[in-house]
Amino acid sequence: MTDSVFPGPALTQAVQLRGPVVEVSDPKTVNTQYGESDLCEVTLRPDRGAGVPTTVTLWGKWTETADVLEPGMELAVYDPDERQYQGETQYSVGSDATVVVEPDFLVDVTDVRAWVQCPRMYYLRKLDGADLAYPLVKGTVVHEVFGDLLRGRDVEAAIDDQIEAAGLDIGLLGREADEVAGDVRDHAKAIEGWLQQGTLTDEDSAATAADSSERDFSPAESDWRSEMTLISERYGMKGRADAVRRGMPVELKTGKNTKREPRFQDKIQATAYALMLGERAANSLDASAVMAGDGGTTTPIEAAPDTGTLLYTKNAAVDRSEESGDLSPAKEFSIGSGLLNYVIRTRNAIAAMEHDTGVPTGYEANTKCEYCFEQDTCMAVSGRLDQESKAGQVGVAIPEAERDYFERFYTAIEAERRAVHREYAKLWEQTAEERAADDRALVDLEPVGRTELDSGRWELRARGTGAVSKIREGDLVMASDGDPVTGDAELARVERIGEARSASEDANGETVSSGEEIVVTADEPLDLRRLDIYPSELTTDRLQNALHDALLTQPPEQKDVLFGRRDPEFETVAETFIDNNEAQNEAVQLAVGAEDFALVHGPPGTGKTYTLARMVRALVDRGDRVLLSAFTNRAVDNAIEALEEQGFTDIVRVGTESGVREDMQNYRLEQSGDPGECAATLQNAQVVAATTATCGGTAMQSQSFDVAVVDEAGQLTEPGTLAATTLADRFALVGDHQQLPPVVQSEDATLSTSLFQRLIETHPDAGVMLDRQYRMAQHIQAFASREFYDGQLRPATGEVAGQRIDDLPGVSMDALPEHLRDRVSFVDPGGTQTGNTNPVEADAVAEVVAAYREAGVPAADVGVIAPFRAQVAELDRRLPDVAVDTVDRFQGSSKEVIVVSFVATETLEGPIFEDYRRINVAMTRAKKALVLVGDADALGTDEVYGRLVEWAES
DNA sequence: TCTCTGCTTAGAGGA
């Protein structure tokens, strides 16, 4: 077992050669002293491209990996044979060496498994993965029960709890809890029987046999670990083993297998875990050797466990009179270097395919399509997209424009996936300090306690340093003893981060807080010393799903308008919904009368959310079932709040407990509980509200709607929007493409234009712009109106236009310094940008805020905005009781007084300043006073920022 | 050196 007595990074001399491939020779066959052998020469630039091009000869089966290599791919070569020849060092990769393609791309073990079944199955899984199916739900419940049994829980209690936890899914499948419990019990019996047997053979004392009738067979803690998350830096792989027993992988399968041997793909899955367990074992063996003064020489392959176990629990439940064959649930198999290397080569094939976003045909492996249960789907997808596939094609291809669209977005989403993978690689590429500085980790935690919960899970507590990070309550994180890759590490859920609830007294009798308290829950106990963000591919998976559903399952008529083959149609609606704002009323009429879609362009402060709520009510009055969606939880909750204010409360909110705002929890659908009740609550709801990411999940995929109403649609990628709109016959998008665009990690521009923007540009007639704003004084809105809204944005009333800071109770204009008395002012404090901060400017901002405070403006009415998080932190220190945040995070809210800190001096370099929409957002948060603080010369280097300064000074 | 929210995780099975 790896222990915290071995600090520092992995000690295995892992990478011997690593860098981009320059050239790959054609494979050839040569005669050697051992007979005929294949070889292929690969030239790479070691030291990650910095070294002299070096040729490595790949022998035998490694030529399969050479086959998929292309120049430009990153290659790692471990433990190659080294030989001097004519003054040159030559490397060769035979049986003892390993080659890994694109090691930073973490291939999932389940993807390796799917690829082994059929490379095309691997591809199909990415496109279409949100189906609800009983065997899957049951399988999940059995796995959870298995984990509970390993943690020593009572079987009946575990079954009841886990079925309750899966309540909604079971209900949506139309099953009863009792029926599922019966099914699960059969599997649980098989697990119990096997565990009992294991205990008996392990403990050779006669006394154990006498006790065997009792329930107490709880596995000894040192023998077992359940649900072990493994990440491999060396092989570029990640996955989660069901259980590890004495260092050996155990995989639970709830299907049936009456063959003597385990299924090949099951063996491959367990072998992949064995490979990663070997890596961990080698690291700790080498560490021991170093401590003992020996050199570390064990390779991970040598250190890998030699046996894997597959537990086919359904075997115990089948009717023995009708089945022949081997019905024992547990099947062991031996793991040798051949199988381990096979896993690595398969993993390489996947990584190579991902490098240039290729699409597998099925010919890559020797699979037989006639036995495949994905055959129909495979042929249909191949036919619709006109792809080459071993199974062949059925059906008519979608139009070429749609195929191009699919290709373009598929590629862009996969680029996002690679960006997520780069985040994984940072787990080991960055030191703990670098990760902490990047806000991606909380380090130097001091473990203060652990408690085993009734569920068998563990609550782990630590004292934090109070450092900031992106980690928030409810997040799934990697909890570790200090090293998330080679140390003791577990996936954990953050339950609490914050000031310790209990305070104590110090020596002088003063009450002191005991620091920041961090509480997480995990399956296994560990010393909680560090938390890391655990990147998730969930969003990319759901975007792929949405793309697939929108293009391959929607009827052509519905897609026509998206591809410009037809103009959107409207029925004329004469009813008046809002009588004091023409544009708002027109927006509701448009949405109600839309036969395809309607677009509502809502600039800042124009009552966009109010209009949206009115629209939802009007649709409901017509008998429509409405989906209410937005990218962020905050926007969804705001929309519900607006509905509530209009007296409408027949809403079901789908989302996680931590995502949904406290005061909206009463609308939240409880996903655990009685299956029938859970499902009925969702199915009977007239209005269902959820984020677009949740719309892509299994629960929402089972629902259909008449209309989807999507708020903040300017912040959504096209596939993100489609996740909501494909669930409905028609849709209405509400947003503002002149405010911030979707957040995407990759540089690809495809995803950064919203569907809202594309449609409003191609179909201006299908949209209404709300042109009267209720937020800003006339002068404050002038710049935004001119620059971003063609001068069409105007104050809704004279009162809005003429508002002044001294309208606030107790605020006197005379108390303000003269340069701050205008509604818009500019201050040039003459500081210097250092990194992403400007301390002098921060001081000036603090002075401005202090001036407003002294004039009587309450702290709650002041907001401070800066482009960089570093400057936000700088300002936060000076202004503890004022809201300070980045532009991006301020979108959606407003304050009476807004102070903007631009940070930049001399030049305006940096991508943050390139998107002018960011200024629009920053300027339009202010109601009565706006103060711009920055370097006039730097701002003057850009035309738009220059006009901004001119306007502020005038 | 740029901004950053989603999501129960990942994996659950069928001839």
Side-chain angles (χ1 to χ4, degrees):
Chain A
M1 210 179 193
T2 313
D3 233 327
S4 49
V5 291
F6 308 121
L11 292 167
T12 309
Q13 289 301 306
V15 179
Q16 300 203 346
L17 291 171
R18 178 167 172 175
V21 171
V22 181
E23 199 187 332
V24 184
S25 77
D26 289 331
K28 53 190 162 197
T29 307
V30 295
N31 281 309
T32 69
Q33 52 181 316
Y34 309 109
E36 266 194 357
S37 187
D38 297 331
L39 72 83
C40 184
E41 287 176 338
V42 175
T43 308
L44 61 90
R45 277 182 193 276
D47 305 325
R48 301 205 178 214
V52 184
T54 304
T55 300
V56 182
T57 309
L58 306 191
W59 291 92
K61 295 225 158 130
W62 290 114
T63 56
E64 286 175 23
T65 288
D67 272 350
V68 297
L69 270 181
E70 303 270 354
M73 289 179 187
E74 181 98 351
L75 190 69
V77 184
Y78 302 112
D79 310 313
D81 290 332
E82 221 177 309
R83 177 170 89 106
Q84 298 297 323
Y85 180 74
Q86 296 183 342
E88 206 183 307
T89 311
Q90 296 186 330
Y91 296 94
S92 68
V93 173
S95 55
D96 295 331
T98 308
V99 174
V100 178
V101 180
E102 291 280 315
D104 279 350
F105 189 88
L106 288 197
V107 175
D108 227 273
V109 170
T110 49
D111 284 335
V112 174
R113 176 198 160 91
W115 185 280
V116 165
Q117 288 183 77
C118 174
R120 213 159 150 76
M121 194 178 287
Y122 161 80
Y123 173 72
L124 296 173
R125 262 167 48 105
K126 286 208 285 195
L127 295 185
D128 182 20
D131 274 350
L132 204 53
Y134 182 57
L136 298 184
V137 173
K138 185 175 74 181
T140 307
V141 172
V142 173
H143 273 76
E144 294 297 328
V145 170
F146 176 55
D148 283 351
L149 290 176
L150 290 185
R151 291 185 284 267
R153 278 197 93 193
D154 172 70
V155 64
E156 287 301 324
I159 292 173
D160 286 350
D161 278 8
Q162 298 301 349
I163 286 178
E164 193 177 309
L168 178 64
D169 284 350
I170 293 169
L172 289 173
L173 286 162
R175 305 267 176 161
E176 307 269 343
D178 289 349
E179 172 197 358
V180 180
D183 287 352
V184 171
R185 200 169 288 120
D186 290 338
H187 292 266
K189 288 257 161 58
I191 298 166
E192 273 192 307
W194 178 68
L195 285 175
Q196 219 151 10
Q197 208 177 36
T199 316
L200 284 174
T201 44
D202 291 349
E203 293 176 21
D204 45 351
S205 70
T208 321
D211 292 343
S212 67
S213 60
E214 288 179 27
R215 191 167 277 288
D216 182 21
F217 53 82
S218 43
E221 247 183 63
S222 56
D223 273 6
W224 282 97
R225 268 188 75 142
S226 73
E227 305 268 348
M228 189 172 184
T229 302
L230 295 160
I231 297 181
S232 169
E233 169 186 4
R234 187 177 167 99
Y235 302 112
M237 222 162 36
K238 67 181 159 75
R240 196 147 198 235
D242 286 341
V244 176
R245 182 198 192 196
R246 295 186 173 167
M248 292 182 286
V250 177
E251 267 305 297
L252 184 67
K253 295 290 161 197
T254 45
K256 146 180 102 162
N257 177 20
T258 55
K259 301 259 168 45
R260 203 172 55 80
E261 275 281 294
R263 266 187 291 262
F264 187 59
Q265 63 265 31
D266 297 342
K267 289 210 289 197
I268 289 304
Q269 187 177 2
T271 303
Y273 297 129
L275 184 68
M276 293 194 280
L277 288 166
E279 185 182 352
R280 292 175 73 93
N283 284 334
S284 84
L285 277 173
D286 283 359
S288 318
V290 169
M291 303 276 280
D294 304 332
T297 52
T298 319
T299 72
I301 302 247
E302 286 164 354
D306 58 7
T307 308
T309 304
L310 286 152
L311 197 56
Y312 293 97
T313 54
K314 197 174 183 179
N315 280 6
V318 300
D319 184 348
R320 284 171 183 273
S321 61
E322 288 182 14
E323 286 281 350
S324 58
D326 183 356
L327 291 176
S328 60
K331 296 177 199 298
E332 294 194 338
F333 69 102
S334 54
I335 297 171
S337 64
L339 214 50
L340 292 162
N341 283 322
Y342 182 87
V343 168
I344 299 170
R345 291 197 303 274
T346 306
R347 182 248 158 241
N348 284 345
I350 297 173
M353 174 75 62
E354 291 296 343
H355 180 260
D356 49 10
T357 332
V359 174
T361 59
Y363 288 109
E364 298 84 352
N366 193 22
T367 41
K368 289 199 176 66
C369 298
E370 61 262 41
Y371 300 132
C372 176
F373 19 74
E374 297 287 13
Q375 192 185 0
D376 290 348
T377 314
C378 182
M379 289 166 66
V381 169
S382 310
R384 302 289 271 154
L385 293 171
D386 192 23
Q387 289 171 338
E388 185 189 1
S389 98
K390 195 174 178 184
Q393 303 178 341
V394 291
V396 183
I398 56 175
E400 198 181 339
E402 293 184 31
R403 294 206 301 275
D404 289 347
Y405 180 98
F406 182 89
E407 170 107 354
R408 199 155 56 87
F409 280 93
Y410 177 82
T411 307
I413 297 167
E414 289 305 307
E416 280 295 290
R417 192 190 301 277
R418 284 194 288 275
V420 175
H421 280 249
R422 281 196 290 280
E423 284 295 311
Y424 280 111
K426 284 178 186 163
L427 272 174
W428 57 77
E429 283 179 352
Q430 293 184 316
T431 63
E433 290 69 33
E434 284 169 341
R435 284 189 62 79
D438 246 9
D439 295 349
R440 287 189 169 84
L442 288 170
V443 301
D444 297 329
L445 311 181
E446 186 193 330
V448 291
R450 56 171 76 155
T451 313
E452 190 169 7
L453 305 170
D454 288 343
S455 60
R457 278 169 65 85
W458 288 81
E459 182 182 275
L460 312 173
R461 292 181 300 278
R463 197 168 8 251
T465 58
V468 291
S469 85
K470 293 178 179 172
I471 297 172
R472 286 168 311 175
E473 287 178 13
D475 281 0
L476 196 81
V477 293
M478 203 68 182
S480 66
D481 62 355
D483 189 326
V485 180
T486 59
D488 218 4
E490 270 295 322
L491 277 184
R493 182 157 304 278
V494 178
E495 305 292 339
R496 219 178 101 70
I497 296 185
E499 279 295 297
R501 289 203 178 101
S502 59
S504 57
E505 288 188 351
D506 70 6
N508 304 322
E510 303 258 285
T511 302
V512 292
S513 154
S514 50
E516 187 192 33
E517 185 186 38
I518 293 170
V519 182
V520 305
T521 48
D523 280 337
E524 300 280 340
L526 55 81
D527 285 341
L528 185 57
R529 296 186 188 280
R530 177 171 161 184
L531 292 181
D532 280 90
I533 283 191
Y534 188 77
S536 167
E537 289 173 67
L538 192 127
T539 308
T540 50
D541 288 345
R542 297 210 167 155
L543 292 181
Q544 281 307 8
N545 268 319
L547 180 66
H548 169 271
D549 290 351
L551 288 181
L552 304 189
T553 69
Q554 294 280 97
E557 314 83 72
Q558 211 163 328
K559 291 186 287 180
D560 283 347
V561 285
L562 290 177
F563 287 93
R565 296 190 290 257
R566 174 167 74 75
D567 284 331
E569 286 170 23
F570 295 88
E571 177 194 314
T572 309
V573 176
E575 191 183 340
T576 300
F577 299 99
I578 297 172
D579 58 16
N580 60 354
N581 186 314
E582 208 177 302
Q584 288 183 352
N585 186 52
E586 200 188 322
V588 178
Q589 287 174 332
L590 202 68
V592 168
E595 286 170 15
D596 304 288
F597 64 80
L599 308 165
V600 179
H601 182 193
T606 52
K608 179 169 65 74
T609 308
Y610 170 84
T611 310
L612 176 138
R614 187 65 194 90
M615 189 188 291
V616 170
R617 282 174 48 221
L619 291 164
V620 168
D621 286 346
R622 286 189 5 152
D624 286 332
R625 185 173 197 231
V626 180
L627 169 64
L628 179 56
S629 194
F631 180 53
T632 61
N633 275 309
R634 193 164 65 173
V636 173
D637 287 334
N638 285 345
I640 297 178
E641 189 175 32
L643 273 167
E644 216 176 26
E645 281 166 7
Q646 296 180 21
F648 185 88
T649 56
D650 183 13
I651 306 157
V652 167
R653 171 77 157 95
V654 183
T656 58
E657 195 181 347
S658 60
V660 176
R661 212 165 75 190
E662 196 68 47
D663 57 328
M664 297 294 159
Q665 290 287 340
N666 54 320
Y667 295 107
R668 198 173 74 84
L669 176 69
E670 188 51 71
Q671 305 210 14
S672 71
D674 177 75
E677 283 172 26
C678 291
T681 307
L682 177 59
Q683 273 152 350
N684 298 335
Q686 190 75 27
V687 174
V688 178
T691 58
T692 48
T694 300
C695 288
T698 50
M700 292 301 289
Q701 291 290 308
S702 70
Q703 302 297 300
S704 59
F705 300 88
D706 298 302
V707 187
V709 177
V710 183
D711 198 6
E712 307 280 14
Q715 279 183 70
L716 275 165
T717 62
E718 281 210 29
T721 317
L722 295 174
T725 58
T726 49
L727 298 180
D729 297 334
R730 326 187 288 280
F731 61 86
L733 304 182
V734 181
D736 182 7
H737 52 291
Q738 297 296 353
Q739 295 186 55
L740 293 174
V743 173
V744 284
Q745 313 233 12
S746 56
E747 283 144 33
D748 194 302
T750 308
L751 290 173
S752 52
T753 307
S754 61
L755 178 65
F756 178 78
Q757 178 169 356
R758 177 165 77 86
L759 291 179
I760 216 157
E761 282 166 3
T762 48
H763 299 287
D765 295 347
V768 177
M769 179 173 138
L770 308 182
D771 53 1
R772 290 159 61 183
Q773 60 86 11
Y774 298 83
R775 178 184 296 163
M776 297 160 273
Q778 167 84 48
H779 189 48
I780 292 178
Q781 64 123 67
F783 181 80
S785 179
R786 192 174 66 219
E787 293 283 334
F788 300 100
Y789 304 104
D790 293 332
Q792 289 187 53
L793 184 63
R794 54 182 201 276
T797 63
E799 208 175 320
V800 170
Q803 59 183 319
R804 292 156 45 117
I805 193 68
D806 57 352
D807 292 345
L808 292 176
V811 177
S812 132
M813 207 58 118
D814 299 334
L816 273 173
E818 216 176 307
H819 69 287
L820 295 179
R821 286 182 196 169
D822 287 342
R823 293 196 178 85
V824 181
S825 2
F826 182 77
V827 176
D828 186 343
T832 310
Q833 177 174 359
T834 48
N836 285 330
T837 66
N838 186 333
V840 172
E841 191 172 294
D843 290 338
V845 170
E847 280 167 31
V848 169
V849 172
Y852 280 102
R853 298 279 290 108
E854 276 160 31
V857 180
D861 286 337
V862 182
V864 176
I865 302 180
F868 306 109
R869 273 213 316 250
Q871 179 76 349
V872 167
E874 193 79 30
L875 289 160
D876 223 12
R877 274 198 290 282
R878 291 165 175 80
L879 298 161
D881 51 357
V882 166
V884 183
D885 228 324
T886 57
V887 187
D888 301 59
R889 292 168 64 109
F890 238 103
Q891 177 156 340
S893 55
S894 60
K895 292 281 180 189
E896 301 293 345
V897 178
I898 287 284
V899 186
V900 182
S901 169
F902 285 95
V903 182
T905 50
E906 288 181 35
T907 61
L908 273 190
E909 265 172 33
I912 193 95
F913 295 107
E914 278 169 19
D915 197 331
Y916 297 131
R917 290 177 284 194
R918 211 167 250 111
I919 327 180
N920 184 28
V921 175
M923 303 302 107
T924 54
R925 302 306 100 193
K927 295 180 186 172
K928 298 187 170 65
L930 173 65
V931 185
L932 308 181
V933 184
D935 180 48
D937 294 336
L939 294 167
T941 60
D942 179 282
E943 214 179 301
V944 176
Y945 287 86
R947 286 202 292 273
L948 179 73
V949 174
E950 237 167 73
W951 160 72
E953 286 185 320
S954 66

